[in-house]
Amino acid sequence: MQKNIILIMICLSLFITSGSAESITVVDSTGRSVSVDVPVQKVVSLGTGVAEYLYALDGEKSLVGRDSYSYFPPALEEVPIAGKSSYSPDLERIISLHPDLVIADTMLSDDDLKELENAGIPVMLESLVDPAKDNEVMEKLGALMGKEGRAQEITDFIGGYQDMIQERIAGVKPEDKPKVFFEWAGKPYYTVSNGNPSDTLIRLAGGDNIAKDLGNSTHSYPTVSPEWVVEVDPDVIIQQRSSDKAFTEGELKTLRDEIIARPELADVKAVKDGRVYLVSGELRYGVRSVICQLYMAKLFYPELFRDVDPEEVHQELAEKFYGLSQLDGVYTYPTGSSI
């Protein structure tokens, strides 16, 4: 009992400190301890997917600056751009916005981090690319913004579907999992390996990434040869494409047709069986990562997820957390009953 009490006190000391102003000390994804006065009123978001998280928590009330790659929901276009990304922040503009907190990812340089901290601005480094850890970040942000209840609502929604996927694929034997070739960023034969967040997403959706063992601790984006893909003969091919706007069905169909038309892939099982899919990169990060996981699970196991419509779940999420009555664009191809 005494040991448990000590452990609880240590955990509390990592997250809450008291002073003349109420503050919370959080540990970011890099292990840095960051003290932040709460509740946070003004935030600049430079990290991928973070603006989407913040909007889900309180609309755009606290968001005073964003990176140029954050454009969902569409209302984010009204938020000033405070830098192209963490790699190229507009430090002068950020400081002029007087934020209570800057949230960046690990592309933020040490020099830029130091300049922001010297200006008295707390900086958290968070990466919303790992679907296994996203809910932890949401809970952290909820505590900082005084939105614990809303954060719980969001994580319950996400966790409910994540748990459902795991329950349904639990009985699938390792040898029965579909072999998946995942092509990243539209570059032919540019893929992902073990330790990459996209590899994690494939695994959580019940797939077996054929390139999982090809990378190393510092490089998880290997390029493979067409001959190797043909030899391994994947059951499913997924290409994920990023864009600064939602895709149309015609655009995704064209991209898929280009893959199917590669002569070297003509005899690959995935091509012969028609199991070649395009998935929008918009779903890869942030709150909607669970939708990407749900799409993939249905692509891998259509019979296990016959009663689940990822498009409907996506619309439910958009209405519930972003106030959007209708989603624009297409997020996977083939769509609907074609899957």
Side-chain angles (χ1 to χ4, degrees), residues 16-24 36-39:
I16 301 177
T17 59
S18 299
S20 57
E22 186 179 0
S23 66
I24 292 179
V36 185
D37 289 342
V38 295

Side-chain angles (χ1 to χ4, degrees), residues 28-98:
D28 70 13
S29 64
T30 68
R32 297 169 56 253
S33 293
V34 184
S35 256
V36 185
D37 289 342
V38 295
V40 169
Q41 303 288 335
K42 298 168 66 178
V43 187
V44 168
S45 166
L46 297 173
T48 302
V50 175
E52 187 176 324
Y53 260 50
L54 295 170
Y55 194 101
L57 283 170
D58 74 347
E60 56 182 287
K61 294 177 182 177
S62 65
L63 199 58
V64 296
R66 65 177 173 96
D67 63 284
S68 64
Y69 296 105
S70 292
Y71 45 86
F72 181 86
L76 284 182
E77 293 181 9
E78 300 173 8
V79 178
I81 293 177
K84 186 174 182 181
S85 65
S86 296
Y87 184 74
S88 53
D90 185 340
L91 297 180
E92 185 176 348
R93 184 164 199 181
I94 293 172
I95 293 171
S96 73
L97 292 169
H98 304 290

Side-chain angles (χ1 to χ4, degrees), residues 52 55-57 59 72-74 150 153-154 157 161 287-288 291 310-328 331:
E52 187 176 324
Y55 194 101
L57 283 170
F72 181 86
R150 180 68 166 178
E153 186 180 2
I154 296 167
F157 183 95
Y161 283 104
V287 176
R288 296 187 295 165
I291 304 300
E311 291 181 19
E312 288 185 1
V313 179
H314 192 185
Q315 183 61 61
E316 179 187 2
L317 181 151
E319 290 181 5
K320 193 176 185 69
F321 302 121
Y322 298 102
L324 297 175
S325 59
Q326 183 175 351
L327 285 166
D328 294 328
Y331 296 88

